[in-house]
Amino acid sequence: MGRPDEHGHHEGRKSPRRWLATGMKAFLSVATVFMIYRQWSNPISKLEFSYAELQDLLLNVPCPHKAREWSSYYTWGSHFPGEGFDQARWTKTRWSEFGLQDIEITQHSVYLPRLKDQRVALLNLNQTHNQVVHEVSLMEDTAPPSSAERPFIPAFFAWSPKGNVTAEYVYANFGLDQDYEELLQRGISVKGKIVIIKLTFNSPLLERLNATASRFNQILSATKAGAIGVLAYTDTQGDEPYTEANGYLPLPDGPARPPSMIQRGTIGLIESSPNDADFRAHLPQIPAVPISYADAAQLLQALNNRGPNASELSERWWGGGLGYRGVQYNVGPSAPGMVINLHCDSEIEVGQVHNVLGTVEGSIKDEIILLGNHRDTWGPGAGDSHSGSSALNEVVRALGTALQQGWKPLRTIVIASWEGEEVGRVGSRSWFQDNMQKANTTIAAYLNVVEAAAGQNFHVQASPLLSRAILAASDRVLSPNQTMSGQTVLDVWGGDVRFGTAGDSILFQGCACLPSSDFGFLAGPGDPVFPYHSLYDTLEYMDKFGDPTWEYHTATAKMWGSLAAHLSETPVLAFNVTDYAIAMKKAANYLESLLSGHDTPTLNSLQEAIDTLFEAAIVHDSKGASLLAETLARPTPPKLQTELQTVNRKYMAFERVFCRDIDRLTRDSNHLFVPSTPYYVHKSGFPTLEKAIQEMNSSFIQIERDLLVERIGRATELLREDGGGIDRVQS
Ligand SMILES: *[C@@H]1O[C@H](CO)[C@@H](O)[C@H](O)[C@H]1NC(C)=O
Ligand SMILES: *[C@@H]1O[C@H](CO)[C@@H](O)[C@H](O)[C@H]1NC(C)=O
Ligand SMILES: *[C@@H]1O[C@H](CO)[C@@H](O)[C@H](O)[C@H]1NC(C)=O
Ligand SMILES: *[C@@H]1O[C@H](CO)[C@@H](O)[C@H](O)[C@H]1NC(C)=O
Ligand SMILES: *[C@@H]1O[C@H](CO)[C@@H](O)[C@H](O)[C@H]1NC(C)=O
Ligand SMILES: *[C@@H]1O[C@H](CO)[C@@H](O)[C@H](O)[C@H]1NC(C)=O
Ligand SMILES: *[C@@H]1O[C@H](CO)[C@@H](O)[C@H](O)[C@H]1NC(C)=O
Ligand SMILES: *[C@@H]1O[C@H](CO)[C@@H](O)[C@H](O)[C@H]1NC(C)=O
């Protein structure tokens, strides 16, 4: 992806204050003219506020000590889904102090998972007395302060069914289908057994092997293989060089993963609604509990010298990091009588979640730019997701400052603080379902941030429609990493916009097919460990390792606000359909490479459809660009206004064409092109066609290919036809 050709304003570059009494004002940037204010609206307004001034505020107001202040509030005590009302009210009060006027808290009754009791222990049934060999601790060694009424939740996988199983066990690597196949080839079945597996989050090995899987799929694979229970832990193999084995102290005293750290998470299906008749059919069927690597080491040691060693299996099995704790990584099974008792007593109960929604009304009310982050967390959540919550507050503070100085946005901007993401986005999904018709016809883009800062590696996953706007925004923000002075976030990052979704953008992008993004700084290779979904994700971790200067929080806030303003203020939506066609082309080429040499249907018709779309896309983007130039050159005559609306409505309708089933907008895999699984799980486009190709099922391939050809044709028509796009619903 190249550099954007617009040059915005660098935060350091202050422009003189310019207030005009009447009329509209265009600001010319270095290369292209692209900003303008309220050329359609509010002729009676006295104060005009230039785009340059707006960008300056958005790039200068967010500050580190404020971000830390918000984080120190949000990270105190437990706020598991269902516990978030106090924080919702607090958030509303802050936003109101910042200058937002229209703020509401929405309450939704939803099903929530609840843990009542649990136990995991290694038992030796041969002994008649004292059978307990090792009792697994289901809480971290040190828990941060919380109130007695709201203690932090112990080890828990949301939606694990209730179950009490006792059985011999097998070490099954990452618990992928391929792992079980390999075990079977060695004559080892996990039928009727408990499996111990490694979690996949941020595994450099699996990334390299294109073999990542979501927690949900890990549990599903274990179920298919016949296991009756799952214990899952995070191995230290991905933490190099910061490991205990290398002599580093664990968090919070050093950068290594704490031995008692437990990675919680959801194992429910990505997007089924509890109101669906088949909701329960989509829940996992065998109990699963996350454990720490200290405990995993105890259980795995008991498998030493039993069954094949990992090093005799394929590369995916290599590199386990617990050798220094006496683990040899034999797969087992455990000796007869050496069993694990796994008891998970969980319930599904009705609870309340609360979203906070702040609206800044613009002149155009039916092309909404929505910004959101989730407020519920597994532990204190300094990284996931309160670095995002704190950054969002800084964006709101900056927007509020602009509002107080007389700014009114061109497009309506809505800010959302969701509750319930961690158990399947129940808060954003309920809000979306309650407002389906309106949301579907008015949301132009959804800009999500989960982790604003939990390391120094910038990552973006987004709809290709937004790539260009994202690149431009990242080039307006100075990088906190100033090894060479003047470097922007883009300079250090490099501009690799990935596919896909994360957090609540899984719902908006992956299921509802609305152009979305998610970005922020995360731990990458060589960064201190990010204690994801554990009680070690604290303010202290952030102060010492995650973002000690709080500059990364601030950089994300700046970029978020700047991107929102670019999208809300540019008269022609800052989308690009040519980039979308190019992304499709790349994805189709990759799928074609998977097919080569196989006697299956070809993808020729798909390739042709994309080529035709590409032609139409170039025409559409060029039309948009020239309309923009015309609009900025002189006041907008009515005819131009109609044309602008048409171009924008088509930009908005474009991605919605790729929704598989418009009646089931919240369903998993609803998007035909962008995967609805998180970005670290799935990277290529056309997820279902890819699945069909992996299965080498000719009729499945044909069905998916033909559906894509039909939809891509529809998208091409949309761009070409006179008029068209989403109907306006402006009241
Ligand atoms: C779970 O099963 C174990 C072994 O069968 C049994 O000893 C224990 O009492 C059960 N726990 C509960 C809470 O039912
Ligand atoms: C068993 O596999 C582990 C993990 O790959 C390796 O570290 C260890 O050296 C192997 N042990 C033997 C005895 O081969
Ligand atoms: C339990 O006893 C059986 C039969 O003697 C033996 O095969 C097995 O290895 C023993 N298991 C343990 C964990 O000692
Ligand atoms: C959402 O928008 C698309 C595209 O305009 C339309 O086809 C679909 O019917 C809408 N769905 C709902 C539930 O409003
Ligand atoms: C900081 O920037 C330098 C120069 O671009 C780069 O080599 C280095 O990897 C960056 N550090 C991080 C943590 O991104
Ligand atoms: C859209 O993307 C294409 C291809 O990357 C690029 O050539 C074109 O300049 C872009 N147009 C706009 C208006 O951004
Ligand atoms: C992984 O997938 C990407 C496309 O997403 C492909 O370019 C790459 O070659 C694959 N790597 C392996 C090892 O299969
Ligand atoms: C192949 O795909 C078709 C269409 O999706 C499906 O009906 C059929 O069951 C699949 N065949 C196999 C062997 O999975």
Side-chain angles (χ1 to χ4, degrees), residues 117 164 166 341 343:
D117 191 18
N164 185 10
T166 301
N341 170 227
H343 175 222

Side-chain angles (χ1 to χ4, degrees), residues 456-457 481-484 487 491-492 527 552:
Q456 306 190 351
N457 261 269
N481 174 4
Q482 290 291 315
T483 28
M484 286 187 304
Q487 286 192 125
D491 293 329
V492 179
D527 277 348
Y552 286 89

Side-chain angles (χ1 to χ4, degrees), residues 697 699-700 703:
N697 176 337
S699 64
F700 191 9
I703 291 170

